[in-house]
Amino acid sequence: MNIKNYAIILAAGSGSRMGLETKKQFLLYNGKEIWWHSFEKFYHSPFIHGIILVFPNNEQEFQNATEKAQEYIQENNYSIPVHFVKGGELRQDSVYEALQVVPKDTQYILIHDSARPFFSPTLITNLLENLSEKKKAIIPSLALTDTIKEFAINNKLERIATNTPSRNFLRSVQTPQAFHFNTLFQAHKNLKAENKTFTDDAMLMEEIGEIVYLIDGNPHNHKITTKQDLSLLKPMQETYIPISGYGYDVHKYQGDRPLILGGVEINTDIKITAHSDGDVLTHALMDALISCMADGDIGHYFPDTDKQYENISSLILLDKVLTKWKNSSLTLCHVDLTIICQKPKIAPYVSQIKKNMCRLLQLSESQVNVKATTEEGLGFTGQLQGIKAVALVSAIKKQKAE
Ligand code: CTP
Ligand code: MG
């Protein structure tokens, strides 16, 4: 049987305790609305097959939020079933509305408050791995560190402690909460008519006599509730990840173009066949750079069917690739270039090629290596049928930390 799990993201509340004009779920965190951060986490989970977004009932707000979601989904080229639902007056009403549109063959459902954008994606896995036909409700929770008091209000409107429950048997609970879909839906249907407020869905399961299991939640999975929590929305730290790109190119000898390598013309009788200036080394370098950007290859940038690239200097093409590079989040670290040919002898030109590359790539001499080798008379380079070059580019990519 194909198991299908859905996630419901609740973003239909009024954020009254926050007391801002903008509802808290629409505040920006790292440039994106708070609710979107939860969407991203569910989207990337292999256990989630569809997402329901619940936005405020107000026509204008619902439309704006829906359009935003569609824009983000398109921008990222995400493909997963997404449904948009108008929320109800209470949280439990919003969940009820969302449950109506969950496909009936869904096995497990995760219900999540969009006001908790910081939960760890591994929580999704932990919850779903713990669910079974026997365990129909699993929720994340944390031990309490503070002592808890029950209290009453006296006739002077003061709070009076009435009881101190043992902390050992109290936990604070979080979302996402995970349930057997049919059972939770039935619980909501059964309790719909009751005039009772359920502050989470586990409470409804308890009410119908289902056992709710508590697993460990994340200490940083705070709920944005009051203005004091706004400091949690400070930007995430940036991190850098290493990237490498590989490029390879070949050109045939016995053509009509002079041999140019890394923009340096080689003094030789050997002529090459090419559409552009046939600078095999610069072509390999461009492919390696484009690979770091995960953007295809030079053929897609500069088609050889395009007249404007005929006999064009490859250094001009390199400049176009570097312009794209400058707009990416990549920083170039190191370039390793190898020319492979039997003839001509490349050694006398190596330092000139290296200088040229350092200048164009804005790198120091310790960041660029140029070398040449033969293939000992073997293969097409050995038979003087052509020349090849390989390039390895190392870079770092800036990205937001989770
Ligand atoms: N929520 C909802 N529909 C409601 C009420 C709440 O979808 N009718 C959502 C909120 O958007 C939030 C989550 O349920 O993501 C948890 O609720 P809470 O933190 O209480 O948010 P609000 O109800 O918006 O805030 P407040 O209680 O301060 O008004
Ligand atoms: Mg509320």
Side-chain angles (χ1 to χ4, degrees):
M1 188 184 72
N2 252 351
I3 291 179
K4 192 150 76 177
N5 307 316
Y6 259 65
I8 294 175
I9 301 174
L10 297 168
S14 57
S16 56
R17 282 171 288 176
M18 182 63 78
L20 294 176
E21 205 174 311
T22 304
K23 292 180 173 165
K24 61 182 182 180
Q25 61 272 38
F26 300 126
L27 294 175
L28 297 184
Y29 174 46
N30 279 314
K32 296 270 161 63
E33 287 76 359
I34 285 188
W35 58 264
W36 176 252
H37 296 272
S38 299
F39 186 98
E40 286 268 25
K41 287 175 201 178
F42 288 118
Y43 177 76
H44 291 293
S45 166
F47 296 101
I48 300 296
H49 308 101
I51 299 175
I52 317 263
L53 276 164
V54 190
F55 288 133
N57 199 5
N58 169 297
E59 198 52 58
Q60 194 56 52
E61 277 180 315
F62 180 78
Q63 200 183 319
N64 290 347
T66 304
E67 276 171 15
K68 209 24 132 190
Q70 276 158 344
E71 183 188 312
Y72 290 156
I73 290 165
Q74 246 173 30
E75 210 171 271
N76 289 290
N77 218 357
Y78 285 173
S79 59
I80 191 173
V82 180
H83 305 267
F84 300 101
V85 171
K86 286 182 178 158
E89 196 182 330
L90 300 175
R91 183 188 183 281
Q92 67 215 53
D93 303 322
S94 295
V95 176
Y96 186 76
E97 294 305 323
L99 289 171
Q100 313 285 330
V101 303
V102 175
K104 298 293 169 266
D105 57 346
T106 296
Q107 185 167 25
Y108 298 133
I109 186 86
L110 274 106
I111 316 261
H112 180 61
D113 292 342
S114 66
R116 292 184 189 268
F118 311 115
F119 71 99
S120 148
T122 54
L123 191 52
I124 302 174
T125 313
N126 289 348
L127 289 163
L128 288 168
E129 279 182 350
N130 274 287
L131 279 174
S132 66
E133 276 308 306
K134 287 212 176 93
K135 291 188 172 180
K136 295 187 172 169
I138 314 269
I139 66 173
S141 68
L142 293 181
L144 294 180
T145 49
D146 294 331
T147 294
I148 302 293
K149 299 283 178 195
E150 287 178 20
F151 69 94
I153 307 280
N154 70 9
N155 52 10
K156 288 184 183 159
L157 298 182
E158 293 161 322
R159 293 186 202 104
I160 305 292
T162 55
N163 186 31
T164 307
S166 165
R167 213 167 49 193
N168 297 341
F169 289 96
L170 287 171
R171 311 257 308 170
S172 63
V173 308
Q174 313 178 328
T175 69
Q177 299 188 343
F179 306 100
H180 186 265
F181 168 63
N182 284 332
T183 315
L184 181 73
F185 198 12
Q186 199 53 52
H188 270 268
K189 284 183 197 156
N190 291 358
L191 300 167
K192 185 76 184 142
E194 286 195 19
N195 194 15
K196 190 167 175 186
T197 303
F198 298 93
T199 48
D200 72 353
D201 294 276
M203 207 175 147
L204 284 107
M205 293 294 262
E206 291 159 43
E207 193 79 8
I208 63 160
E210 285 292 339
I211 299 170
V212 174
Y213 293 85
L214 306 175
I215 62 163
D216 284 332
N218 307 140
H220 54 270
N221 184 10
H222 303 292
K223 188 167 79 160
I224 308 289
T225 308
T226 65
K227 284 204 175 89
Q228 268 139 29
D229 300 325
L230 291 176
S231 63
L232 296 169
L233 300 179
K234 61 184 184 305
M236 296 176 199
Q237 276 186 334
E238 278 164 353
T239 57
Y240 292 87
I241 54 164
I243 301 282
S244 34
Y246 173 78
Y248 172 81
D249 196 31
V250 169
H251 276 285
K252 241 198 310 197
Y253 284 169
Q254 289 169 353
D256 53 1
R257 302 254 153 106
L259 179 61
I260 296 173
L261 295 170
V264 176
E265 190 168 335
I266 311 294
N267 189 10
T268 170
D269 292 341
I270 291 170
K271 298 274 183 272
I272 58 149
T273 312
H275 179 68
S276 67
D277 66 352
D279 184 338
V280 71
L281 186 62
T282 304
H283 291 181
L285 170 63
M286 285 192 282
D287 258 349
L289 290 164
I290 293 168
S291 285
C292 287
M293 295 189 276
D295 200 25
D297 58 28
I298 48 173
H300 139 87
Y301 271 62
F302 315 112
D304 61 9
T305 47
D306 193 332
K307 279 258 178 277
Q308 63 169 313
Y309 301 123
E310 208 173 297
N311 206 14
I312 194 170
S313 161
S314 293
L315 298 190
I316 294 173
L317 302 182
L318 174 63
D319 194 54
K320 289 183 196 288
V321 173
L322 290 173
T323 302
K324 182 100 194 257
W325 180 282
K326 278 170 198 142
N327 292 325
S328 74
S329 50
L330 291 160
T331 304
L332 199 50
C333 297
H334 197 89
V335 171
D336 180 16
L337 302 170
T338 309
I339 301 154
I340 301 145
C341 63
Q342 193 67 36
K343 272 184 180 167
K345 220 170 169 36
I346 305 298
Y349 300 95
V350 160
S351 83
Q352 213 184 327
I353 295 170
K354 174 166 169 162
K355 273 208 168 63
N356 230 5
M357 291 291 116
C358 289
R359 174 173 65 88
L360 298 169
L361 299 169
Q362 297 183 26
L363 292 177
S364 72
E365 298 230 338
S366 65
Q367 292 173 292
V368 175
N369 192 46
V370 179
K371 58 192 186 294
T373 184
T374 72
E375 290 185 301
E376 303 284 345
L378 298 170
F380 71 81
T381 65
Q383 305 301 310
L384 298 181
Q385 289 171 321
I387 181 167
K388 58 182 160 182
V390 296
L392 186 67
V393 166
S394 312
I396 48 173
K397 185 176 185 170
K398 201 191 314 184
Q399 67 173 27
K400 303 276 186 219
E402 270 297 307

